[in-house]
Amino acid sequence: MRLTPRSLWANLAKGPRRVWRRFRGSLLLRVVATTTVLGLGAVIVIGAMVSTQIRDGLVETRVQRILDETARDGAGAQENVDASTAETSGDLQQLVYDLADGLGALGGSSRGLVMLRDPSNSSGVLLSPPVSDTALVDVITPEMRAEVQSGQDQSWQFVALPDGGDPGVVVGMPFTIRVAGAYELYFVYSLADEESTLQLIQRVLALGGIALMGLLAVLTYQVTRQTVRPVRQAARVASRLAEGILSERMTVRGQDEMATLARTFNEMAESLQRQITRMEELSRLQRRFVSDVSHELRTPLTTIRMAADVLHDARGGFPPEVARSAELLDTQIDRFESLLADLLEISRIDAGAAQLEFDEMSVADVVRDQVEAMVPAARSLGVHLQLWVAKGSHVASIDRPRVARIVRNLLSNAIEHAQRRPVDVVVASSKRAVAVVVRDYGIGLTPQQAQRVFDRFWRADAARARTMGGTGLGLSIAREDAQLHGGRLEAWGLPGKGASFRLQLPRTSQGLGQHPPLPLVIAELDYGAIAEPVTLESDRREVAP
């Protein structure tokens, strides 16, 4: 595979993202990292402060010692020159050399000596000023000479020494030679020893800081691990409880706060287990009660059905009010039978006894059959049904009766609430899923109602009668059937704008995927861009002569 700049950048970005996910997902790592960073900052600040204080102390002590030493040696040299009886140039030159040798012996190898003639010296006696190292002349700045020439007893400044750039100190003072006139005497000291001492101290501080940071990281890890371990155990136990393993418990060690947490967590888990067991038993009894009642009602309902059929067939000989009662009885018995069938189906689903028989077939064919079957009911209410099917294959492994029931329930609901406006049904597929959208433009739903539309026996308007004879369980059963297929049933609505229901069924074992084949809400103008209209058989019969 050829790496493009974009793919290379994406690969390089994966590393930091993985580290960041690891950092966010581990409390132990975050605590250790935070403590280490804060500790490192504290060590750096404290080390810098200590190093600065030591440096300032060393330099201040050394400079003060240098000033005392140069003041003493300079005063002694001036006294020797003043006490000398030399008058000639040769004698004075020898005196200066002897003086330089004596000052050099007193200062040792760490001190250099430079003597310069004062520019204001007008004496006719010319001497060769002694210099211990000619390179030292360059470190004496014009500012330093100006201070010495101004007559100050002692002037000094920091300088960088030649041949290595070691730090140093230059101390200057005016110096007068009898007969020869005014000169300038400079002492140059190296601070290399102090710098070496400071570097040694800084290395010791750095090593100590590194050792301290390592110790701090280890201590933080151990302390945090003792705290995080029970939390991780609680998370694992909670996960097992969520999976239905209600007997899982935390291990209690000791009498500290973590042990108290473990005991409290175990007590909570035991309480939840009792409550869940009691609720499961109650739910089982309720399901059994509904199932038993539904079965027991079938026998008397069959007898009532037989009697109602006899009355309904003979209604022509009854008075009008009695005949009407016979018709109402027949209608309500039909609804009662549908309600019993739905209750039995809900009981089987709740008990986990629902069985599916999968076959490979086109979902579009199933939808078309149901639309054709609902056309007469829709026309009786002034509703026009329009089927749209996208190009391509819509084959999926489904239980045909259950999928047909889902579509039938969605169509019945749409027709009942369409208010004589059209209802559009769209079928489209992707590689992983097939989707069916049923859209009406009638009463509509609020967002709160759309969330509750699949609740059992729930009605958006309790005062509104069911014109299609529904039982109030159709959409609930439809959602359960969709979930049994590994699919999804969703609803959307807006008051005055209608409602839309989307059924998604997987085509493969990989599930639905993240991109539905159809949007939940489709605008009227978009149907032609998504799918093609399908002419129904009922429409052809109407057009045929």
Side-chain angles (χ1 to χ4, degrees), residues 98-110:
D98 293 341
L99 181 64
D101 292 340
L103 291 175
L106 289 174
S109 61
S110 65

Side-chain angles (χ1 to χ4, degrees), residues 38-56:
L38 294 177
L40 179 61
V43 168
I44 291 175
V45 172
I46 295 174
M49 293 176 59
V50 171
S51 178
T52 302
Q53 293 293 328
I54 293 175
R55 181 199 63 194
D56 293 345

Side-chain angles (χ1 to χ4, degrees), residues 3 26 37 87 92 121 128 136 167 296 304 312 320 323 356 422 436 462 469 496 506 532:
L3 287 178
S26 175
V37 170
E87 295 290 342
L92 290 173
N121 189 345
S128 176
L136 296 178
E296 292 299 327
I304 295 174
H312 188 267
L356 278 69
V436 180
E532 297 178 349

Side-chain angles (χ1 to χ4, degrees), residues 35 61 65 67 79 88 122 149 206 227 239 266 294 303 457 499-500:
T35 305
T61 302
R65 191 164 59 247
L67 293 178
E79 290 176 0
T88 65
S122 59
Q149 292 165 12
T227 305
S239 176
N266 291 341
S294 300
T303 304
F457 297 108
S500 180

Side-chain angles (χ1 to χ4, degrees), residues 210-359:
I210 294 173
L212 179 61
M213 291 307 304
L215 180 62
L216 179 62
V218 172
L219 291 177
T220 304
Y221 175 80
Q222 292 296 332
V223 173
T224 307
R225 187 167 175 266
Q226 293 179 2
T227 305
V228 171
R229 186 190 299 139
V231 177
R232 288 180 174 175
Q233 185 186 11
R236 287 194 298 268
V237 173
S239 176
R240 304 272 287 180
L241 291 175
E243 294 173 357
I245 307 176
L246 302 179
S247 59
E248 193 74 15
R249 295 293 184 271
M250 289 184 64
T251 303
V252 180
R253 295 187 180 91
Q255 300 293 327
D256 56 7
E257 291 81 358
M258 292 303 172
T260 303
L261 172 64
R263 284 193 295 269
T264 305
F265 187 93
N266 291 341
E267 293 172 0
M268 179 192 69
E270 291 176 1
S271 177
L272 286 176
Q273 183 179 13
R274 289 193 298 268
Q275 294 291 336
I276 292 174
T277 302
R278 184 161 55 248
M279 292 176 64
E280 288 179 345
E281 181 64 21
L282 179 60
S283 177
R284 187 184 64 81
L285 293 176
Q286 288 177 339
R287 292 195 300 267
R288 182 175 179 180
F289 174 77
V290 172
S291 179
D292 292 345
V293 169
S294 300
H295 281 289
E296 292 299 327
L297 285 176
R298 283 189 173 276
T299 300
L301 183 60
T302 302
T303 304
I304 295 174
R305 163 56 68 188
M306 295 173 61
D309 289 342
V310 172
L311 293 175
H312 188 267
D313 293 340
R315 69 184 183 281
F318 295 156
E321 62 276 9
V322 177
R324 178 58 180 163
S325 298
E327 293 176 355
L328 292 175
L329 178 62
D330 186 73
T331 302
Q332 293 303 316
I333 289 177
D334 288 341
R335 185 177 177 184
F336 194 15
E337 288 179 336
S338 299
L339 179 60
L340 277 180
D342 288 347
L343 286 174
L344 285 173
E345 182 63 21
I346 285 290
S347 298
R348 284 193 292 268
I349 293 175
D350 289 343
Q355 296 181 354
L356 278 69
E357 297 181 1
F358 290 98
D359 289 312

Side-chain angles (χ1 to χ4, degrees), residues 446-509:
T446 65
Q448 293 77 17
Q449 292 172 342
Q451 293 178 355
R452 298 195 57 194
V453 73
F454 297 109
D455 293 348
R456 299 175 183 180
F457 297 108
W458 182 84
R459 298 172 65 181
D461 185 0
R464 181 181 175 88
R466 289 188 173 94
T467 58
M468 300 287 292
T471 63
L473 293 173
L475 291 179
S476 300
I477 294 176
R479 183 179 61 177
E480 297 291 347
D481 285 337
Q483 292 176 350
L484 288 174
H485 281 80
R488 185 183 301 131
L489 184 58
E490 302 163 281
W492 168 90
L494 199 63
K497 300 296 183 180
S500 180
F501 290 80
R502 180 176 64 188
L503 169 66
Q504 294 186 74
L505 299 172
R507 301 185 66 186
T508 66
S509 59

